[in-house]
């Protein structure tokens, strides 16, 4: 058979491949790995897509595979893959740039508008037995890091990215609003980065107890207080207003609390996603020079997270409270929907249900 201008298809293919190799890149099918999935955590966004079919502008229009907190074992590698081999245990970074745009060139590929992201419409996730992914975004796990720890690198990365954006450093006083999985990883990372004191607020006493277990110095159970009253309690337990607030709920009242609580010249990082429009005391933040920063997922965090886990500088194992085989995925999702435990983990390999 022939291609353009009568050239044989094989000749055209060889020319294309030669161009890819000369440019130092490979066609996607040569730079991918096939994985036998092991552990996949359930995220709040997975439940939201399942229940509501959309998050903001991301709308589920066709059947979609969920799951983006994941790890597995390499089964096959494309011919362009040199850093991985069959049998390697890997953690999966779910966001893969499709283009080398200006965001990728500056190292902020998470902001690329064309990024592929597992379980974000229209891209399928990896809650399945076998899954194919870009080899460059699969990271080999050391022998002393479990599959579940590998899967937890995804939410842990949110904490790493948020604390870096916030500027947490030695001696920082930090207020974390919300004690769900993302609030907890921010506690873990803030303490590891040198925070002198971390206070956490939440409605749930059991979740606040988990925050204490992973390193929070103080906890405050919120009931019917106003945002200003909660902010006053934060100042009281810390002995000062925190330099850094990490808001992990997306709730309007909590954002308001974050502004009131943060000291003048401090930083408020918005991690939780709630309504598109919220009412906040913006003048209070402006005249006190409280910097308000957003985060979108993460970037360049997997190597850091793996190094921290391998060196045992941090411990994320207490976050996993429930485990289900893949066949009981619906029960696992129902458990997460009810808000039970902290992190629900699905085990995709029927021959290995270990952590």
């Amino acid at each position: 058979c022939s291609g353009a201008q009568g050239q044989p298809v094989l000749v055209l293919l060889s020319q294309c491949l030669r161009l890819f190799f000369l440019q130092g890149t490979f066609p996607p099918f040569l730079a991918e790995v096939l994985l036998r999935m092991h552990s996949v955590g359930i995220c709040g966004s997975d439940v939201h897509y399942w229940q509501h079919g959309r998050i903001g502008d991301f709308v589920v229009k066709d059947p979609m595979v969920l799951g983006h907190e994941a790890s597995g074992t390499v089964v096959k590698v494309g011919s362009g893959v040199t850093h991985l081999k069959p049998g390697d245990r890997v953690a999966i970074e779910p966001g893969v740039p499709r283009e080398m745009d200006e965001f990728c060139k500056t190292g902020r590929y998470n902001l690329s508008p064309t990024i592929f992201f597992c379980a974000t419409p229209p891209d399928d996730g990896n809650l399945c037995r076998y899954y194919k992914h870009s080899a460059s975004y699969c990271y080999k796990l050391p022998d002393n890091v479990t599959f579940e720890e590998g899967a937890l690198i995804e939410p842990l990365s949110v904490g790493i990215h948020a604390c870096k954006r916030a500027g947490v450093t030695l001696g920082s006083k930090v207020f974390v609003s919300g004690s769900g999985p993302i609030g907890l990883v921010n506690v873990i990372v803030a303490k590891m980065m040198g925070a002198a004191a971390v206070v956490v607020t939440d409605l749930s006493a059991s979740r606040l107890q988990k925050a204490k277990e992973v390193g929070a110095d103080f906890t405050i159970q919120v009931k019917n207080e106003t945002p200003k009253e909660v902010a006053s309690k934060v100042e009281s337990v810390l002995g000062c207003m925190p330099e850094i607030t990490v808001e992990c709920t997306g709730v309007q009242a909590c954002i308001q609390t974050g502004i009131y609580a943060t000291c003048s010249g401090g930083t408020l990082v918005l991690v939780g996603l709630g309504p598109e429009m919220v009412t906040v005391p913006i003048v209070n933040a402006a005249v006190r020079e409280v910097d308000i920063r957003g985060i979108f997922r993460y970037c360049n965090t997997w190597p850091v997270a793996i190094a921290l886990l391998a060196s045992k500088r941090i411990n994320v194992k207490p976050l996993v409270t429930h485990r289900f085989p893949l066949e009981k995925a619906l029960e696992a999702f129902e458990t997460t929907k009810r808000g039970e435990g902290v992190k629900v983990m699905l085990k995709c390999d029927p021959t290995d249900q270990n952590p």
Side-chain angles (χ1 to χ4, degrees), residues 228-240:
K228 284 188 176 181
E229 288 171 339
V230 177
S232 179
K233 286 189 174 183
V234 170
E235 181 180 4
S236 177
V237 298
L238 282 177
C240 62

Side-chain angles (χ1 to χ4, degrees), residues 259-312:
I259 290 176
Y260 290 132
T262 308
C263 75
S264 297
T267 301
L268 166 64
V269 174
L270 302 179
V271 180
L273 297 178
E276 181 178 2
M277 295 291 181
V278 295
T279 301
V280 297
I282 197 67
V283 173
N284 180 288
V287 299
R288 296 192 304 109
E289 295 191 0
V290 173
D291 290 343
I292 301 175
R293 299 182 179 182
I295 73 160
F296 185 60
R297 298 168 179 160
Y298 33 67
C299 57
N300 307 303
T301 54
W302 258 252
V304 173
I306 290 172
L308 292 172
L309 290 167
S311 65
K312 305 305 177 185

Side-chain angles (χ1 to χ4, degrees), residues 115-138:
I115 197 168
F116 166 93
F117 198 89
C118 295
T120 296
D123 303 327
D124 283 324
N126 44 37
L127 183 54
C128 47
R129 299 287 191 205
Y130 290 89
Y131 173 71
K132 173 174 61 66
H133 199 67
S134 168
S136 294
Y137 291 81
C138 292

Side-chain angles (χ1 to χ4, degrees), residues 85-102:
K85 64 183 184 305
D88 284 344
R89 300 162 56 255
V90 298
I92 302 166
E93 182 173 359
V96 180
R98 287 188 172 98
E99 297 179 9
M100 181 55 70
D101 57 19
E102 65 270 26

Side-chain angles (χ1 to χ4, degrees), residues 21-249:
F21 282 108
L22 287 174
Q23 292 177 337
T25 59
F26 303 99
F29 63 89
L30 297 183
E32 293 175 331
V33 291
L34 178 65
L35 304 171
R36 181 172 64 251
M37 300 303 297
H38 187 282
S39 296
V40 180
I42 299 178
C43 175
S45 66
D46 293 318
V47 175
H48 202 85
Y49 281 127
W50 170 46
Q51 289 293 298
H52 305 287
R54 70 180 300 157
I55 296 177
D57 294 333
F58 297 106
V59 181
V60 179
K61 298 179 181 179
D62 298 297
M64 183 181 77
V65 179
L66 293 170
H68 59 269
E69 304 176 1
S71 62
T73 303
V74 176
V75 177
K76 292 183 179 180
V77 302
S79 60
V81 178
T82 58
H83 71 289
L84 294 173
K85 64 183 184 305
D88 284 344
R89 300 162 56 255
V90 298
I92 302 166
E93 182 173 359
V96 180
R98 287 188 172 98
E99 297 179 9
M100 181 55 70
D101 57 19
E102 65 270 26
F103 298 105
C104 295
K105 292 175 182 177
T106 57
R108 303 182 73 179
Y109 56 87
N110 58 312
L111 301 180
S112 173
T114 64
I115 197 168
F116 166 93
F117 198 89
C118 295
T120 296
D123 303 327
D124 283 324
N126 44 37
L127 183 54
C128 47
R129 299 287 191 205
Y130 290 89
Y131 173 71
K132 173 174 61 66
H133 199 67
S134 168
S136 294
Y137 291 81
C138 292
Y139 301 83
K140 187 174 179 180
L141 293 173
D143 292 340
N144 67 337
V145 177
T146 68
F147 280 112
E148 285 187 355
E149 288 177 297
L152 288 169
I153 290 175
E154 197 279 339
L156 180 61
S157 288
V158 177
I160 294 172
H161 191 55
C163 286
K164 288 175 69 176
R165 290 272 292 160
V168 178
T169 188
L170 295 173
S172 296
K173 306 290 179 56
V174 180
F175 165 32
V176 176
S177 175
S179 190
I182 296 302
L184 294 175
V185 294
N186 273 282
V187 172
I188 292 170
V189 174
K191 292 297 289 185
M192 186 277 305
M193 292 178 71
V198 176
V199 58
V200 184
T201 56
D202 201 280
L203 297 169
S204 167
S206 62
R207 292 210 164 188
L208 288 173
Q209 179 57 40
K210 181 64 71 172
K212 290 284 285 186
E213 290 176 20
V214 301
D217 299 282
F218 308 101
T219 60
I220 299 171
Q221 186 174 9
V222 178
K223 295 180 180 177
N224 298 313
E225 298 91 344
T226 67
K228 284 188 176 181
E229 288 171 339
V230 177
S232 179
K233 286 189 174 183
V234 170
E235 181 180 4
S236 177
V237 298
L238 282 177
C240 62
M241 297 174 76
E243 302 107 321
I244 292 165
T245 297
V246 184
E247 208 299 297
C248 301
T249 71

